[in-house]
Amino acid sequence: MKKKKEKSKHAIVVDNVSKKFKIVYDKPNTLKERLVFWNKSKISYNEVLRNIDLKIEKGETVALIGTNGSGKSTLLKLMTKIIYPTYGEITTTGKLTSLLELGAGFHPDFTGRENIYFNASIFGLTAAEIDNRIQDIIDFSELGEYIDTPVRTYSSGMYMRLAFSVAINVDADILLIDEILAVGDQHFQDKCFEKLENLKKSNKTIVIVSHSLESVKKLCTRGIWIYDGEVRKDGNIDQIVDEYLKVCG
């Protein structure tokens, strides 16, 4: 008799992951340069992440902290499979949605309403599911009559409101966020924070990259300090933030 396969308690498993980016110097631009200097380009590799091992349980709310260039945003992009590891493997369990770049996936000539359908379908929703949720998305965004104007006319704050509204109404199991909450007025930031608190209570997995340490201390229970491409510390969010500030504050 076959044993039932146990469901993993982990939403995200990062197994010995490294990421290198190829850098080409003196790359020829014209046809003549390519013919004359075809073998003269200098190539190097920038290793952004090295041997990362992490397990994030379902329902955890985790902050990735670190200085600019430490590799935390790259790790988030690897989790969402925008890019892939040079070595190692990342496994995610459940529906995943991400807010990594402001307005990423929006077509500038489409209206906000049209972009809702386009963006939500990328996250895996059917047209019928989007029909059922579109009013909630529009109401949360507070865009009003602007929802039927092209998004190229939107301010950065309006972009963020629409992007966030779509992402949090996908009803995903895992939500990945990179600094996007720093955009917009205080009212909408507070509204987004309240929504994330509700998602946290509903046992969603949230991984957030932010330099707003006070915000992540309020929202997250766990902190992972990425330093020079490696995990330097991993533990209780208050302890990790305090240690980080002693070194980098």
Side-chain angles (χ1 to χ4, degrees):
M1 187 175 178
K2 289 183 178 179
K3 287 185 178 181
K4 287 185 178 179
K5 189 176 180 181
E6 290 187 13
K7 290 184 178 179
S8 173
K9 67 176 183 177
H10 297 113
I12 304 170
V13 177
V14 181
D15 184 14
N16 196 32
V17 163
S18 297
K19 179 62 181 178
K20 294 180 180 180
F21 289 102
K22 185 177 181 180
I23 302 172
V24 180
Y25 300 94
D26 301 320
K27 188 175 180 180
N29 296 312
T30 65
L31 178 60
K32 180 180 178 181
E33 287 175 345
R34 289 177 186 175
L35 291 171
V36 176
F37 304 110
W38 66 272
N39 64 343
K40 300 294 173 107
S41 294
K42 182 183 175 183
I43 297 174
S44 67
Y45 292 89
N46 180 23
E47 191 171 35
V48 180
L49 294 170
R50 288 182 299 281
N51 307 319
I52 303 291
D53 281 305
L54 290 173
K55 289 182 179 179
I56 296 174
E57 292 188 14
K58 294 175 181 177
E60 271 198 294
T61 310
V62 180
L64 302 180
I65 64 174
T67 57
N68 289 330
S70 60
K72 57 190 186 299
S73 292
T74 299
L75 180 56
L76 210 64
K77 288 178 181 177
L78 289 167
M79 289 178 180
T80 201
K81 295 182 171 60
I82 290 175
I83 56 177
Y84 292 88
T86 307
Y87 308 108
E89 184 179 11
I90 295 180
T91 305
T92 58
T93 303
K95 184 188 287 187
L96 183 149
T97 186
S98 60
L99 281 162
L100 303 189
E101 293 180 8
L102 194 60
F106 287 171
H107 192 294
D109 293 325
F110 290 174
T111 66
R113 188 184 301 272
E114 290 168 333
N115 272 291
I116 289 172
Y117 279 90
F118 180 68
N119 208 234
S121 65
I122 292 174
F123 289 138
L125 295 187
T126 65
E129 287 174 325
I130 301 170
D131 286 339
N132 291 333
R133 302 179 195 190
I134 191 165
Q135 196 56 51
D136 290 336
I137 294 171
I138 294 170
D139 290 345
F140 193 94
S141 73
E142 300 179 356
L143 288 174
E145 62 186 17
Y146 293 104
I147 200 67
D148 291 308
T149 60
V151 298
R152 58 179 160 76
T153 65
Y154 287 9
S155 66
S156 60
M158 293 166 74
Y159 257 81
M160 187 277 288
R161 281 151 57 185
L162 185 60
F164 188 89
S165 300
V166 174
I168 54 94
N169 279 285
V170 169
D171 193 28
D173 303 298
I174 304 168
L175 181 60
L176 308 178
I177 304 172
D178 188 359
E179 288 294 359
I180 194 169
L181 297 183
V183 183
D185 58 29
Q186 190 61 48
H187 159 71
F188 197 76
Q189 286 184 35
D190 292 343
K191 186 176 177 179
C192 292
F193 192 85
E194 183 180 350
K195 183 65 178 180
L196 288 174
E197 284 280 12
N198 291 334
L199 291 173
K200 175 183 175 180
K201 291 173 185 175
S202 64
N203 209 37
K204 304 296 185 184
T205 305
I206 301 171
V207 182
I208 183 167
V209 166
S210 180
H211 290 289
S212 177
L213 299 179
E214 285 304 313
S215 294
V216 297
K217 282 177 76 172
K218 290 177 183 176
L219 179 67
C220 301
T221 55
R222 178 182 173 190
I224 300 171
W225 178 5
I226 307 295
Y227 179 81
D228 195 24
E230 298 179 321
V231 175
R232 179 160 179 170
K233 291 279 184 178
D234 181 355
N236 174 273
I237 185 64
D238 292 327
Q239 293 175 350
I240 297 300
V241 168
D242 289 347
E243 289 190 42
Y244 171 75
L245 288 174
K246 286 177 184 176
V247 176
C248 304

